[in-house]
Amino acid sequence: MKTKLFCLIGASAFVLAACATDPQPTSSRTVTPTSTAPQPRPVTSVRSQVTPPLYVAKPGSVEEFSTSAGDRIYFAYNSYTLSAEARATLSKQAAWLNSYPRTRALLAGNCDERGTREYNLALGARRASAVKEYLVNLGVDPSRMTTISYGKERPIDPRSMGEAWSINRNTHTAIVSGASS
Amino acid sequence: MKLRLFFSLVTMWVMIGFAVPAKAELEIDITRGHLEPTPLAIPAFTGSSAPEREIGELIANVIRADLERSGLFKVLDQASYIEQQTNIDIQPRFADWRVIRADALLAGRVVIENENRVRVDMRLWDVFAETHLFGQQMGTTPENWRRIAHKIADSIYQKLTGESGYFDTRVVFIAESGPKINRTKRLAIMDQDGANPTFLTPGSYTVLTPRFSPTTQQITYLSYATQVPSVFLFNIETGRQEVLGDFPGMTFAPRFSPDGKKVIMSLVRAGNSDIWLMDLRTRRRVQLTDSPAIDTSPSFSPDGSKIVFNSDRGGSSQLYIMNVDGSGTHRITFGDGRYSAPVWSPRGDLIAFTKQNKGQFHIGVMRPDGDGERVLTTAYLDEGPTWSPNGRVLMFTRETRPGAGPKIWSIDLTGANLRRVPTPEDSSDPAWSPLIE
């Protein structure tokens, strides 16, 4: 582990020589650096050298939608009420959708695993519909949006714990056509 | 009610059997839980050739497993058998079977009549009464020997308990594979004991909540094969799949009516789920509920007159019953927690359900008037009960602990005999078939 961390820091700092000469086979479980080996630099020194993002999302692209608006809003347990945070995200989604009127969206309602299957299919339908209604109120043409419920079938966090459940209770807005690529 | 009369006859025989053989026939009361299993002797079925004896051993094994799995019978170790019968038509030496404490002896014979037909003869003997309880003769193709075994197990179950069996049945379910965030879910079918698992859909689209027709070789289920997820029909004999109806939205939670001629389901319109009934022949559809709440998981009473479903119209998910025309709706659950996924027993006397309370999931049963609630199971996730055709056993989906993956389990109505049903991989949403004709 130590070796890997060492290599990573080395690479980030553009000090590749130390890794290239590392004689340890990959099967070795622990590596004790010899007294003559260079010591890894402190992590803080790496930060300033991290490279900036490689590109800026193209206007009208799916990437831009996800990064500028956010493609997912979250719900409380067994609820389909839009929180203030969700409404803020949806306002940005609506603004983007109104800027690119040729795009079409699929709104998918999702639930956590703490409900029965059919009840969750119904709850997911409500969550998708709540988002659609809100976007329509913000001027998005309803014919550009379709809704679907996946119930508890499409978790994005596989863990079985509160944090994962709150992430898995969501409506995902997917731009399915009309976006620039 | 007849069953109550047989109360503890088995026990009585153990006490007095040696001195005075009882005259009454062997009977088992299955309405009580934790009954001492009735000891049976089931030697391998005889045959006059090696292939016959081979099938005979296989058939005996399946019968033993069926009866043991019911929890009502214990099959005695074959090494303890004293008499080695060669002709099942001759009365056994009952003393030899009494001494190993067998209550009944099953004797069978396999005859390969030709390459396309095997015949099985069997006799069940009451060891203590020294009587012939019944005999049967059945024929089939050689590769179909498992069904003969299940039918014999059903006959024994019926003879000794007074109720029809459930061994010659199948289960449709969802076979699950792959990571949780990208799960493959396929429609699958197997025998009730887990044998012969077969996929019915390819796995390129998600399939959920299959249910058997009570009268035909058809399954109804939810499929994501179409753009709008919809209730489908699957014909097991032809493999043909079709969308059921042309609804203006997502349909889900389907179940057949008891006569197999209609399907009841939920339809989503503007995000709201209501219950609809569709006639399979005329394709006419009728809306049964019209509330702004979630109305789903409808299930018919076996006489076809009523429908139980869950709704959150009262604030949380609870069970309601309405008449088949949508009238007379009334709530039946008032206990702690949330109730969902109700299924009416084929006997009509009970409704099984899923209950969520204090972070746990349970399978329970109650009478249709809402009284007599009994919680049978508890786990991280227990859901979606399905009844055996005789209304004595429930299968359901269980995730024993967080992240364990779903498996199919079964439990007796009494709350005893909790078992995992063997499946090759993660599995969910079991639905029991009626007895095969």
Side-chain angles (χ1 to χ4, degrees), chain A residues 77 113-114 116-119 121 126 129 149 152-153 155 158 160 165, chain B residues 180 185 211 224 253 270 292 297 312 338 340 356 359 380 383 429:
Chain A
Y77 177 67
E113 64 190 27
R114 304 311 282 157
T116 48
R117 199 174 315 286
E118 291 174 339
Y119 181 86
L121 288 168
R126 278 180 159 178
S129 180
S149 173
K152 58 177 173 178
E153 308 306 319
S160 294
W165 299 333
Chain B
K180 206 165 157 184
K185 292 197 164 197
R211 275 86 197 233
Y224 282 76
S297 301
D312 65 355
R338 298 163 57 197
S340 58
Q356 281 172 259
Y380 172 71
E383 74 165 309
D429 294 2

PDB file of all heavy atoms in Angstrom, chain A residues 77 113-114 116-119 121 126 129 149 152-153 155 158 160 165, chain B residues 180 185 211 224 253 270 292 297 312 338 340 356 359 380 383 429:
ATOM      1  N   TYR A  77     -38.032   9.931   3.040  1.00  0.00           N
ATOM      2  CA  TYR A  77     -38.574   8.579   3.079  1.00  0.00           C
ATOM      3  C   TYR A  77     -40.088   8.585   2.837  1.00  0.00           C
ATOM      4  O   TYR A  77     -40.820   9.350   3.467  1.00  0.00           O
ATOM      5  CB  TYR A  77     -38.257   7.943   4.434  1.00  0.00           C
ATOM      6  CG  TYR A  77     -38.841   6.567   4.597  1.00  0.00           C
ATOM      7  CD1 TYR A  77     -38.380   5.509   3.813  1.00  0.00           C
ATOM      8  CD2 TYR A  77     -39.859   6.318   5.508  1.00  0.00           C
ATOM      9  CE1 TYR A  77     -38.921   4.244   3.940  1.00  0.00           C
ATOM     10  CE2 TYR A  77     -40.401   5.050   5.648  1.00  0.00           C
ATOM     11  CZ  TYR A  77     -39.930   4.018   4.858  1.00  0.00           C
ATOM     12  OH  TYR A  77     -40.461   2.775   4.987  1.00  0.00           O
ATOM     13  N   GLU A 113     -34.860   0.721  -0.862  1.00  0.00           N
ATOM     14  CA  GLU A 113     -35.277  -0.684  -0.761  1.00  0.00           C
ATOM     15  C   GLU A 113     -36.145  -0.971   0.458  1.00  0.00           C
ATOM     16  O   GLU A 113     -36.461  -2.131   0.715  1.00  0.00           O
ATOM     17  CB  GLU A 113     -34.043  -1.587  -0.742  1.00  0.00           C
ATOM     18  CG  GLU A 113     -33.140  -1.371   0.474  1.00  0.00           C
ATOM     19  CD  GLU A 113     -31.809  -2.103   0.367  1.00  0.00           C
ATOM     20  OE1 GLU A 113     -31.354  -2.349  -0.758  1.00  0.00           O
ATOM     21  OE2 GLU A 113     -31.235  -2.424   1.429  1.00  0.00           O
ATOM     22  N   ARG A 114     -36.533   0.076   1.202  1.00  0.00           N
ATOM     23  CA  ARG A 114     -37.313  -0.149   2.425  1.00  0.00           C
ATOM     24  C   ARG A 114     -38.809  -0.002   2.169  1.00  0.00           C
ATOM     25  O   ARG A 114     -39.534   0.690   2.907  1.00  0.00           O
ATOM     26  CB  ARG A 114     -36.836   0.790   3.548  1.00  0.00           C
ATOM     27  CG  ARG A 114     -35.369   0.668   3.847  1.00  0.00           C
ATOM     28  CD  ARG A 114     -34.910  -0.769   4.020  1.00  0.00           C
ATOM     29  NE  ARG A 114     -35.264  -1.319   5.323  1.00  0.00           N
ATOM     30  CZ  ARG A 114     -35.372  -2.621   5.562  1.00  0.00           C
ATOM     31  NH1 ARG A 114     -35.191  -3.510   4.611  1.00  0.00           N
ATOM     32  NH2 ARG A 114     -35.670  -3.043   6.763  1.00  0.00           N
ATOM     33  N   THR A 116     -42.252  -2.278  -0.127  1.00  0.00           N
ATOM     34  CA  THR A 116     -42.541  -3.449  -0.949  1.00  0.00           C
ATOM     35  C   THR A 116     -42.543  -3.053  -2.424  1.00  0.00           C
ATOM     36  O   THR A 116     -42.704  -1.889  -2.769  1.00  0.00           O
ATOM     37  CB  THR A 116     -43.868  -4.108  -0.546  1.00  0.00           C
ATOM     38  OG1 THR A 116     -44.866  -3.111  -0.446  1.00  0.00           O
ATOM     39  CG2 THR A 116     -43.723  -4.816   0.789  1.00  0.00           C
ATOM     40  N   ARG A 117     -42.355  -4.042  -3.276  1.00  0.00           N
ATOM     41  CA  ARG A 117     -42.057  -3.777  -4.678  1.00  0.00           C
ATOM     42  C   ARG A 117     -43.145  -2.966  -5.387  1.00  0.00           C
ATOM     43  O   ARG A 117     -42.867  -1.961  -6.027  1.00  0.00           O
ATOM     44  CB  ARG A 117     -41.828  -5.103  -5.423  1.00  0.00           C
ATOM     45  CG  ARG A 117     -41.084  -4.915  -6.734  1.00  0.00           C
ATOM     46  CD  ARG A 117     -40.718  -6.220  -7.420  1.00  0.00           C
ATOM     47  NE  ARG A 117     -40.154  -7.234  -6.544  1.00  0.00           N
ATOM     48  CZ  ARG A 117     -38.912  -7.211  -6.036  1.00  0.00           C
ATOM     49  NH1 ARG A 117     -38.109  -6.227  -6.328  1.00  0.00           N
ATOM     50  NH2 ARG A 117     -38.492  -8.177  -5.243  1.00  0.00           N
ATOM     51  N   GLU A 118     -44.376  -3.392  -5.267  1.00  0.00           N
ATOM     52  CA  GLU A 118     -45.448  -2.718  -6.012  1.00  0.00           C
ATOM     53  C   GLU A 118     -45.766  -1.344  -5.431  1.00  0.00           C
ATOM     54  O   GLU A 118     -46.025  -0.394  -6.173  1.00  0.00           O
ATOM     55  CB  GLU A 118     -46.690  -3.617  -6.064  1.00  0.00           C
ATOM     56  CG  GLU A 118     -46.426  -4.836  -6.937  1.00  0.00           C
ATOM     57  CD  GLU A 118     -47.545  -5.864  -6.952  1.00  0.00           C
ATOM     58  OE1 GLU A 118     -48.368  -5.866  -6.014  1.00  0.00           O
ATOM     59  OE2 GLU A 118     -47.582  -6.668  -7.889  1.00  0.00           O
ATOM     60  N   TYR A 119     -45.726  -1.245  -4.118  1.00  0.00           N
ATOM     61  CA  TYR A 119     -45.948   0.067  -3.505  1.00  0.00           C
ATOM     62  C   TYR A 119     -44.882   1.042  -4.020  1.00  0.00           C
ATOM     63  O   TYR A 119     -45.192   2.195  -4.352  1.00  0.00           O
ATOM     64  CB  TYR A 119     -45.890  -0.036  -1.975  1.00  0.00           C
ATOM     65  CG  TYR A 119     -46.140   1.295  -1.308  1.00  0.00           C
ATOM     66  CD1 TYR A 119     -47.429   1.726  -1.033  1.00  0.00           C
ATOM     67  CD2 TYR A 119     -45.080   2.143  -0.984  1.00  0.00           C
ATOM     68  CE1 TYR A 119     -47.670   2.963  -0.460  1.00  0.00           C
ATOM     69  CE2 TYR A 119     -45.300   3.390  -0.412  1.00  0.00           C
ATOM     70  CZ  TYR A 119     -46.596   3.789  -0.147  1.00  0.00           C
ATOM     71  OH  TYR A 119     -46.826   5.022   0.414  1.00  0.00           O
ATOM     72  N   LEU A 121     -43.271   0.921  -6.837  1.00  0.00           N
ATOM     73  CA  LEU A 121     -43.531   1.274  -8.244  1.00  0.00           C
ATOM     74  C   LEU A 121     -44.519   2.444  -8.293  1.00  0.00           C
ATOM     75  O   LEU A 121     -44.357   3.383  -9.071  1.00  0.00           O
ATOM     76  CB  LEU A 121     -44.081   0.070  -9.011  1.00  0.00           C
ATOM     77  CG  LEU A 121     -43.057  -1.041  -9.299  1.00  0.00           C
ATOM     78  CD1 LEU A 121     -43.758  -2.306  -9.785  1.00  0.00           C
ATOM     79  CD2 LEU A 121     -42.015  -0.587 -10.316  1.00  0.00           C
ATOM     80  N   ARG A 126     -45.225   8.579  -8.602  1.00  0.00           N
ATOM     81  CA  ARG A 126     -45.555   9.875  -8.009  1.00  0.00           C
ATOM     82  C   ARG A 126     -44.355  10.819  -8.039  1.00  0.00           C
ATOM     83  O   ARG A 126     -44.498  12.012  -8.291  1.00  0.00           O
ATOM     84  CB  ARG A 126     -45.972   9.682  -6.559  1.00  0.00           C
ATOM     85  CG  ARG A 126     -47.401   9.264  -6.395  1.00  0.00           C
ATOM     86  CD  ARG A 126     -47.676   9.111  -4.931  1.00  0.00           C
ATOM     87  NE  ARG A 126     -49.091   9.191  -4.636  1.00  0.00           N
ATOM     88  CZ  ARG A 126     -49.578   9.045  -3.409  1.00  0.00           C
ATOM     89  NH1 ARG A 126     -48.767   8.825  -2.402  1.00  0.00           N
ATOM     90  NH2 ARG A 126     -50.865   9.123  -3.206  1.00  0.00           N
ATOM     91  N   SER A 129     -43.808  12.077 -11.505  1.00  0.00           N
ATOM     92  CA  SER A 129     -44.887  12.995 -11.869  1.00  0.00           C
ATOM     93  C   SER A 129     -44.750  14.342 -11.161  1.00  0.00           C
ATOM     94  O   SER A 129     -45.035  15.396 -11.748  1.00  0.00           O
ATOM     95  CB  SER A 129     -46.222  12.331 -11.531  1.00  0.00           C
ATOM     96  OG  SER A 129     -47.275  13.169 -11.852  1.00  0.00           O
ATOM     97  N   SER A 149     -41.530   4.866 -13.820  1.00  0.00           N
ATOM     98  CA  SER A 149     -41.179   4.496 -12.444  1.00  0.00           C
ATOM     99  C   SER A 149     -40.368   3.216 -12.466  1.00  0.00           C
ATOM    100  O   SER A 149     -40.764   2.235 -13.095  1.00  0.00           O
ATOM    101  CB  SER A 149     -42.430   4.275 -11.600  1.00  0.00           C
ATOM    102  OG  SER A 149     -42.046   3.767 -10.332  1.00  0.00           O
ATOM    103  N   LYS A 152     -38.046   0.305  -6.720  1.00  0.00           N
ATOM    104  CA  LYS A 152     -36.747   0.142  -6.050  1.00  0.00           C
ATOM    105  C   LYS A 152     -35.755  -0.650  -6.914  1.00  0.00           C
ATOM    106  O   LYS A 152     -34.787  -1.193  -6.400  1.00  0.00           O
ATOM    107  CB  LYS A 152     -36.937  -0.530  -4.694  1.00  0.00           C
ATOM    108  CG  LYS A 152     -37.604  -1.903  -4.729  1.00  0.00           C
ATOM    109  CD  LYS A 152     -37.665  -2.478  -3.307  1.00  0.00           C
ATOM    110  CE  LYS A 152     -38.459  -3.763  -3.260  1.00  0.00           C
ATOM    111  NZ  LYS A 152     -38.493  -4.350  -1.914  1.00  0.00           N
ATOM    112  N   GLU A 153     -36.027  -0.706  -8.222  1.00  0.00           N
ATOM    113  CA  GLU A 153     -35.227  -1.575  -9.098  1.00  0.00           C
ATOM    114  C   GLU A 153     -33.932  -0.942  -9.593  1.00  0.00           C
ATOM    115  O   GLU A 153     -33.092  -1.639 -10.159  1.00  0.00           O
ATOM    116  CB  GLU A 153     -36.061  -2.008 -10.303  1.00  0.00           C
ATOM    117  CG  GLU A 153     -37.417  -2.619  -9.963  1.00  0.00           C
ATOM    118  CD  GLU A 153     -37.298  -3.769  -8.998  1.00  0.00           C
ATOM    119  OE1 GLU A 153     -36.374  -4.589  -9.141  1.00  0.00           O
ATOM    120  OE2 GLU A 153     -38.135  -3.839  -8.068  1.00  0.00           O
ATOM    121  N   PRO A 155     -31.314   1.173  -7.904  1.00  0.00           N
ATOM    122  CA  PRO A 155     -30.528   1.935  -6.924  1.00  0.00           C
ATOM    123  C   PRO A 155     -29.228   2.431  -7.569  1.00  0.00           C
ATOM    124  O   PRO A 155     -28.677   1.764  -8.453  1.00  0.00           O
ATOM    125  CB  PRO A 155     -30.243   0.904  -5.825  1.00  0.00           C
ATOM    126  CG  PRO A 155     -30.283  -0.415  -6.526  1.00  0.00           C
ATOM    127  CD  PRO A 155     -31.324  -0.267  -7.614  1.00  0.00           C
ATOM    128  N   PRO A 158     -25.367   0.963  -3.945  1.00  0.00           N
ATOM    129  CA  PRO A 158     -25.744  -0.432  -3.645  1.00  0.00           C
ATOM    130  C   PRO A 158     -25.783  -0.762  -2.158  1.00  0.00           C
ATOM    131  O   PRO A 158     -26.232  -1.841  -1.788  1.00  0.00           O
ATOM    132  CB  PRO A 158     -24.633  -1.233  -4.331  1.00  0.00           C
ATOM    133  CG  PRO A 158     -23.451  -0.326  -4.321  1.00  0.00           C
ATOM    134  CD  PRO A 158     -24.001   1.087  -4.453  1.00  0.00           C
ATOM    135  N   SER A 160     -26.762  -1.025   1.804  1.00  0.00           N
ATOM    136  CA  SER A 160     -28.025  -1.122   2.544  1.00  0.00           C
ATOM    137  C   SER A 160     -27.875  -0.350   3.834  1.00  0.00           C
ATOM    138  O   SER A 160     -27.638  -0.923   4.886  1.00  0.00           O
ATOM    139  CB  SER A 160     -28.362  -2.593   2.813  1.00  0.00           C
ATOM    140  OG  SER A 160     -28.633  -3.258   1.608  1.00  0.00           O
ATOM    141  N   TRP A 165     -29.894   4.828   1.106  1.00  0.00           N
ATOM    142  CA  TRP A 165     -31.342   4.919   0.852  1.00  0.00           C
ATOM    143  C   TRP A 165     -31.733   6.338   0.468  1.00  0.00           C
ATOM    144  O   TRP A 165     -32.555   6.551  -0.422  1.00  0.00           O
ATOM    145  CB  TRP A 165     -32.133   4.478   2.096  1.00  0.00           C
ATOM    146  CG  TRP A 165     -31.851   3.060   2.491  1.00  0.00           C
ATOM    147  CD1 TRP A 165     -31.439   2.045   1.660  1.00  0.00           C
ATOM    148  CD2 TRP A 165     -31.931   2.497   3.796  1.00  0.00           C
ATOM    149  NE1 TRP A 165     -31.266   0.896   2.380  1.00  0.00           N
ATOM    150  CE2 TRP A 165     -31.567   1.139   3.692  1.00  0.00           C
ATOM    151  CE3 TRP A 165     -32.282   3.007   5.047  1.00  0.00           C
ATOM    152  CZ2 TRP A 165     -31.533   0.284   4.796  1.00  0.00           C
ATOM    153  CZ3 TRP A 165     -32.265   2.150   6.145  1.00  0.00           C
ATOM    154  CH2 TRP A 165     -31.896   0.802   6.017  1.00  0.00           C
TER     155      TRP A 165
ATOM    156  N   LYS B 180     -25.906  -5.000  -7.800  1.00  0.00           N
ATOM    157  CA  LYS B 180     -27.156  -4.399  -7.342  1.00  0.00           C
ATOM    158  C   LYS B 180     -27.525  -3.144  -8.154  1.00  0.00           C
ATOM    159  O   LYS B 180     -28.704  -2.858  -8.360  1.00  0.00           O
ATOM    160  CB  LYS B 180     -26.992  -4.029  -5.863  1.00  0.00           C
ATOM    161  CG  LYS B 180     -28.272  -3.991  -5.093  1.00  0.00           C
ATOM    162  CD  LYS B 180     -27.941  -3.988  -3.608  1.00  0.00           C
ATOM    163  CE  LYS B 180     -29.044  -3.408  -2.789  1.00  0.00           C
ATOM    164  NZ  LYS B 180     -28.675  -3.334  -1.366  1.00  0.00           N
ATOM    165  N   LYS B 185     -32.830  -9.111 -14.251  1.00  0.00           N
ATOM    166  CA  LYS B 185     -33.983  -9.799 -13.652  1.00  0.00           C
ATOM    167  C   LYS B 185     -34.759 -10.517 -14.736  1.00  0.00           C
ATOM    168  O   LYS B 185     -35.297  -9.875 -15.642  1.00  0.00           O
ATOM    169  CB  LYS B 185     -34.873  -8.788 -12.927  1.00  0.00           C
ATOM    170  CG  LYS B 185     -34.239  -8.193 -11.689  1.00  0.00           C
ATOM    171  CD  LYS B 185     -35.302  -7.551 -10.825  1.00  0.00           C
ATOM    172  CE  LYS B 185     -34.793  -7.282  -9.427  1.00  0.00           C
ATOM    173  NZ  LYS B 185     -35.886  -7.056  -8.487  1.00  0.00           N
ATOM    174  N   ARG B 211     -47.317 -13.757 -11.820  1.00  0.00           N
ATOM    175  CA  ARG B 211     -48.389 -14.485 -11.117  1.00  0.00           C
ATOM    176  C   ARG B 211     -48.983 -15.534 -12.048  1.00  0.00           C
ATOM    177  O   ARG B 211     -49.193 -15.283 -13.222  1.00  0.00           O
ATOM    178  CB  ARG B 211     -49.505 -13.539 -10.670  1.00  0.00           C
ATOM    179  CG  ARG B 211     -49.239 -12.874  -9.338  1.00  0.00           C
ATOM    180  CD  ARG B 211     -48.432 -11.631  -9.515  1.00  0.00           C
ATOM    181  NE  ARG B 211     -47.809 -11.169  -8.276  1.00  0.00           N
ATOM    182  CZ  ARG B 211     -47.944  -9.928  -7.796  1.00  0.00           C
ATOM    183  NH1 ARG B 211     -48.691  -9.053  -8.441  1.00  0.00           N
ATOM    184  NH2 ARG B 211     -47.335  -9.572  -6.695  1.00  0.00           N
ATOM    185  N   TYR B 224     -40.536  -4.494 -18.494  1.00  0.00           N
ATOM    186  CA  TYR B 224     -39.977  -3.240 -19.009  1.00  0.00           C
ATOM    187  C   TYR B 224     -39.502  -3.416 -20.452  1.00  0.00           C
ATOM    188  O   TYR B 224     -38.670  -2.649 -20.935  1.00  0.00           O
ATOM    189  CB  TYR B 224     -38.820  -2.773 -18.117  1.00  0.00           C
ATOM    190  CG  TYR B 224     -39.273  -2.122 -16.823  1.00  0.00           C
ATOM    191  CD1 TYR B 224     -39.752  -2.890 -15.772  1.00  0.00           C
ATOM    192  CD2 TYR B 224     -39.231  -0.738 -16.658  1.00  0.00           C
ATOM    193  CE1 TYR B 224     -40.171  -2.295 -14.588  1.00  0.00           C
ATOM    194  CE2 TYR B 224     -39.643  -0.135 -15.473  1.00  0.00           C
ATOM    195  CZ  TYR B 224     -40.109  -0.915 -14.438  1.00  0.00           C
ATOM    196  OH  TYR B 224     -40.527  -0.326 -13.272  1.00  0.00           O
ATOM    197  N   ALA B 253     -48.597  -4.561 -11.057  1.00  0.00           N
ATOM    198  CA  ALA B 253     -49.284  -5.281  -9.976  1.00  0.00           C
ATOM    199  C   ALA B 253     -50.458  -6.126 -10.485  1.00  0.00           C
ATOM    200  O   ALA B 253     -51.569  -6.040  -9.957  1.00  0.00           O
ATOM    201  CB  ALA B 253     -49.752  -4.302  -8.896  1.00  0.00           C
ATOM    202  N   ALA B 270     -51.115  10.393 -14.597  1.00  0.00           N
ATOM    203  CA  ALA B 270     -50.626  11.627 -13.956  1.00  0.00           C
ATOM    204  C   ALA B 270     -50.019  11.314 -12.586  1.00  0.00           C
ATOM    205  O   ALA B 270     -50.254  12.030 -11.616  1.00  0.00           O
ATOM    206  CB  ALA B 270     -51.759  12.646 -13.837  1.00  0.00           C
ATOM    207  N   PRO B 292     -57.023   9.914  -4.978  1.00  0.00           N
ATOM    208  CA  PRO B 292     -55.715  10.536  -5.231  1.00  0.00           C
ATOM    209  C   PRO B 292     -54.582   9.801  -4.515  1.00  0.00           C
ATOM    210  O   PRO B 292     -53.442  10.246  -4.565  1.00  0.00           O
ATOM    211  CB  PRO B 292     -55.901  11.957  -4.688  1.00  0.00           C
ATOM    212  CG  PRO B 292     -56.984  11.844  -3.672  1.00  0.00           C
ATOM    213  CD  PRO B 292     -57.866  10.712  -4.085  1.00  0.00           C
ATOM    214  N   SER B 297     -51.530  -3.462  -5.623  1.00  0.00           N
ATOM    215  CA  SER B 297     -51.446  -4.842  -5.131  1.00  0.00           C
ATOM    216  C   SER B 297     -52.814  -5.464  -4.869  1.00  0.00           C
ATOM    217  O   SER B 297     -53.065  -6.005  -3.792  1.00  0.00           O
ATOM    218  CB  SER B 297     -50.586  -4.906  -3.860  1.00  0.00           C
ATOM    219  OG  SER B 297     -49.284  -4.431  -4.112  1.00  0.00           O
ATOM    220  N   ASP B 312     -52.706   4.118   0.493  1.00  0.00           N
ATOM    221  CA  ASP B 312     -52.261   5.052   1.532  1.00  0.00           C
ATOM    222  C   ASP B 312     -53.240   6.212   1.668  1.00  0.00           C
ATOM    223  O   ASP B 312     -52.883   7.289   2.137  1.00  0.00           O
ATOM    224  CB  ASP B 312     -50.823   5.522   1.276  1.00  0.00           C
ATOM    225  CG  ASP B 312     -50.685   6.336  -0.005  1.00  0.00           C
ATOM    226  OD1 ASP B 312     -51.683   6.453  -0.755  1.00  0.00           O
ATOM    227  OD2 ASP B 312     -49.583   6.861  -0.253  1.00  0.00           O
ATOM    228  N   ARG B 338     -46.963  -0.420   8.624  1.00  0.00           N
ATOM    229  CA  ARG B 338     -47.560  -0.282   7.295  1.00  0.00           C
ATOM    230  C   ARG B 338     -47.797  -1.661   6.710  1.00  0.00           C
ATOM    231  O   ARG B 338     -46.960  -2.551   6.837  1.00  0.00           O
ATOM    232  CB  ARG B 338     -46.618   0.509   6.385  1.00  0.00           C
ATOM    233  CG  ARG B 338     -46.354   1.928   6.881  1.00  0.00           C
ATOM    234  CD  ARG B 338     -45.131   2.515   6.216  1.00  0.00           C
ATOM    235  NE  ARG B 338     -45.260   2.513   4.768  1.00  0.00           N
ATOM    236  CZ  ARG B 338     -44.239   2.657   3.938  1.00  0.00           C
ATOM    237  NH1 ARG B 338     -43.020   2.799   4.404  1.00  0.00           N
ATOM    238  NH2 ARG B 338     -44.430   2.657   2.631  1.00  0.00           N
ATOM    239  N   SER B 340     -48.845  -4.023   3.266  1.00  0.00           N
ATOM    240  CA  SER B 340     -48.924  -4.002   1.800  1.00  0.00           C
ATOM    241  C   SER B 340     -48.873  -5.422   1.248  1.00  0.00           C
ATOM    242  O   SER B 340     -48.703  -6.389   1.986  1.00  0.00           O
ATOM    243  CB  SER B 340     -47.797  -3.139   1.221  1.00  0.00           C
ATOM    244  OG  SER B 340     -46.551  -3.623   1.630  1.00  0.00           O
ATOM    245  N   GLN B 356     -44.478  -3.717   7.551  1.00  0.00           N
ATOM    246  CA  GLN B 356     -43.247  -3.024   7.913  1.00  0.00           C
ATOM    247  C   GLN B 356     -43.490  -2.341   9.239  1.00  0.00           C
ATOM    248  O   GLN B 356     -44.447  -1.590   9.386  1.00  0.00           O
ATOM    249  CB  GLN B 356     -42.944  -1.924   6.909  1.00  0.00           C
ATOM    250  CG  GLN B 356     -42.330  -2.386   5.624  1.00  0.00           C
ATOM    251  CD  GLN B 356     -42.274  -1.211   4.655  1.00  0.00           C
ATOM    252  OE1 GLN B 356     -43.108  -1.116   3.777  1.00  0.00           O
ATOM    253  NE2 GLN B 356     -41.316  -0.336   4.821  1.00  0.00           N
ATOM    254  N   GLY B 359     -38.531  -0.754  11.384  1.00  0.00           N
ATOM    255  CA  GLY B 359     -37.330  -1.092  10.620  1.00  0.00           C
ATOM    256  C   GLY B 359     -37.215  -2.541  10.191  1.00  0.00           C
ATOM    257  O   GLY B 359     -36.214  -2.938   9.603  1.00  0.00           O
ATOM    258  N   TYR B 380     -34.726  -8.526   7.735  1.00  0.00           N
ATOM    259  CA  TYR B 380     -34.372  -7.228   7.153  1.00  0.00           C
ATOM    260  C   TYR B 380     -35.351  -6.889   6.036  1.00  0.00           C
ATOM    261  O   TYR B 380     -35.816  -5.765   5.922  1.00  0.00           O
ATOM    262  CB  TYR B 380     -32.943  -7.276   6.613  1.00  0.00           C
ATOM    263  CG  TYR B 380     -32.570  -6.034   5.837  1.00  0.00           C
ATOM    264  CD1 TYR B 380     -32.378  -4.817   6.489  1.00  0.00           C
ATOM    265  CD2 TYR B 380     -32.428  -6.063   4.450  1.00  0.00           C
ATOM    266  CE1 TYR B 380     -32.045  -3.675   5.780  1.00  0.00           C
ATOM    267  CE2 TYR B 380     -32.096  -4.920   3.732  1.00  0.00           C
ATOM    268  CZ  TYR B 380     -31.909  -3.725   4.406  1.00  0.00           C
ATOM    269  OH  TYR B 380     -31.596  -2.598   3.702  1.00  0.00           O
ATOM    270  N   GLU B 383     -40.987 -10.033   1.969  1.00  0.00           N
ATOM    271  CA  GLU B 383     -42.112  -9.420   1.251  1.00  0.00           C
ATOM    272  C   GLU B 383     -42.727 -10.366   0.233  1.00  0.00           C
ATOM    273  O   GLU B 383     -42.126 -11.363  -0.156  1.00  0.00           O
ATOM    274  CB  GLU B 383     -41.676  -8.122   0.558  1.00  0.00           C
ATOM    275  CG  GLU B 383     -40.816  -8.316  -0.672  1.00  0.00           C
ATOM    276  CD  GLU B 383     -40.726  -7.042  -1.516  1.00  0.00           C
ATOM    277  OE1 GLU B 383     -41.767  -6.442  -1.843  1.00  0.00           O
ATOM    278  OE2 GLU B 383     -39.609  -6.645  -1.858  1.00  0.00           O
ATOM    279  N   ASP B 429     -39.835 -12.622  -5.779  1.00  0.00           N
ATOM    280  CA  ASP B 429     -41.195 -12.599  -6.315  1.00  0.00           C
ATOM    281  C   ASP B 429     -41.738 -13.984  -6.688  1.00  0.00           C
ATOM    282  O   ASP B 429     -42.229 -14.188  -7.810  1.00  0.00           O
ATOM    283  CB  ASP B 429     -41.278 -11.696  -7.561  1.00  0.00           C
ATOM    284  CG  ASP B 429     -41.032 -10.230  -7.243  1.00  0.00           C
ATOM    285  OD1 ASP B 429     -40.755  -9.919  -6.078  1.00  0.00           O
ATOM    286  OD2 ASP B 429     -41.108  -9.398  -8.173  1.00  0.00           O
TER     287      ASP B 429
END
